Amino acid sequence: FLHHPPTSLPVEGGIQCQQILSNAIRRAVECASTAPNHKMSEPTTFHRILSPSAASERLLDISYEVTYQRLLLNKLSGAEACRNEAMRKREKWSKIPAFIVATVGGMEDQYNEEEEQSPYAELPLNAPHTIQQLEDYASSCASIQNLLLSLHSEGIASKWATGTIIRTHALRNLIGCKKDDMVVGLIMVGWTKQVPRMPRRRRVLEGDVLKDVNI
């Protein structure tokens, strides 16, 4: 990610670039809010974090701690190597000019208060249990897709991440989650150095992804 648009765009200065992203995110969220939702539940909330800011610095710290503790827990390497890898990820994330955390309300209690654990440890997955919760989660995913498409239409890159960090007390506390809020994704936003190649699809369209029903 880049902290500024490509040089072909007549924009200079960090504050201007931050304002461009802030406005684009607002338009994207407006687009996201048009996603279908059952009984007008409007379940999705988007939490915007612009960089640099106190919130983005806290997010970077959380990323470091989550990565370090995960690597250490899985015993993938020694403590020093785990710290180096966690710092590498922190530095990589520091180059991302904006983040959006998408949450869906009305879910099951996402906390496990019976166990004392690190704020950076992964919480157990408490998936949707009822039809309404399932429909709201599906609506939230549709909202995120709308948001990504809106950003893309303005030449802004994004990445929808669903790693361990979205299931931690630390991230939930940062954005002020309620007990029944489920984090659906952490979206990274900025300008890309180069347009990635479209991955080769594993399934063909006709007869596999798209099937005609004949009786």
Side-chain angles (χ1 to χ4, degrees):
F1 283 97
L2 300 173
H3 268 274
H4 53 79
T7 53
S8 59
L9 296 179
V11 177
E12 298 179 358
I15 296 178
Q16 283 181 292
C17 293
Q18 194 178 66
Q19 190 60 52
I20 288 172
L21 274 185
S22 179
N23 292 340
I25 290 171
R26 186 185 186 284
R27 289 188 291 271
V29 170
E30 186 175 7
C31 180
S33 67
T34 65
N37 53 92
H38 192 52
K39 296 182 178 179
M40 292 298 291
S41 59
E42 300 181 358
T44 310
T45 302
F46 294 94
H47 309 261
R48 177 174 52 192
I49 300 175
L50 299 176
S51 179
S53 65
S56 69
E57 283 299 310
R58 176 57 184 147
L59 180 60
L60 297 182
D61 290 342
I62 294 171
S63 171
Y64 172 88
E65 292 292 344
V66 169
T67 303
Y68 174 66
Q69 293 193 21
R70 176 177 57 82
L71 293 174
L72 208 59
L73 180 65
N74 294 332
K75 299 180 180 179
L76 298 179
S77 54
E80 186 63 27
C82 291
R83 279 191 288 268
N84 291 338
E85 177 59 22
M87 183 55 70
R88 185 195 67 80
K89 184 170 183 179
R90 190 190 192 284
E91 290 174 355
K92 182 178 179 181
W93 280 32
S94 71
K95 296 179 174 63
I96 300 171
F99 300 86
I100 306 168
V101 184
T103 61
V104 58
M107 298 289 110
E108 299 295 311
D109 190 340
Q110 299 295 306
Y111 287 95
N112 184 1
E113 297 179 347
E114 296 179 359
E115 297 182 12
E116 281 291 332
Q117 56 185 343
S118 164
Y120 308 106
E122 184 173 14
L123 292 166
L125 177 64
N126 205 345
H129 279 58
T130 68
I131 295 297
Q132 183 65 50
Q133 288 173 346
L134 186 61
E135 289 176 340
D136 285 346
Y137 183 82
S139 173
S140 186
C141 292
S143 292
I144 293 175
Q145 174 74 344
N146 280 5
L147 180 131
L148 302 182
L149 291 173
S150 176
L151 292 171
H152 179 74
S153 73
E154 298 196 35
I156 297 173
S158 59
K159 176 185 176 181
W160 180 356
T162 56
T164 302
I165 191 171
I166 73 169
R167 292 177 294 278
T168 63
H169 280 299
L171 180 68
R172 294 177 62 83
N173 290 339
L174 173 62
I175 63 174
C177 279
K178 295 181 292 186
K179 286 186 176 183
D180 65 348
D181 286 336
M182 183 178 187
V183 180
V184 183
L186 171 64
I187 300 136
M188 305 166 188
V189 182
W191 292 276
T192 183
K193 292 181 179 179
Q194 61 184 27
V195 178
R197 290 184 178 182
M198 187 72 170
R200 184 176 180 179
R201 299 299 180 187
R202 293 181 293 107
R203 299 174 62 192
V204 296
L205 178 63
E206 294 291 342
D208 190 0
V209 176
L210 174 62
K211 294 185 178 182
D212 289 316
V213 178
N214 298 308
I215 57 174

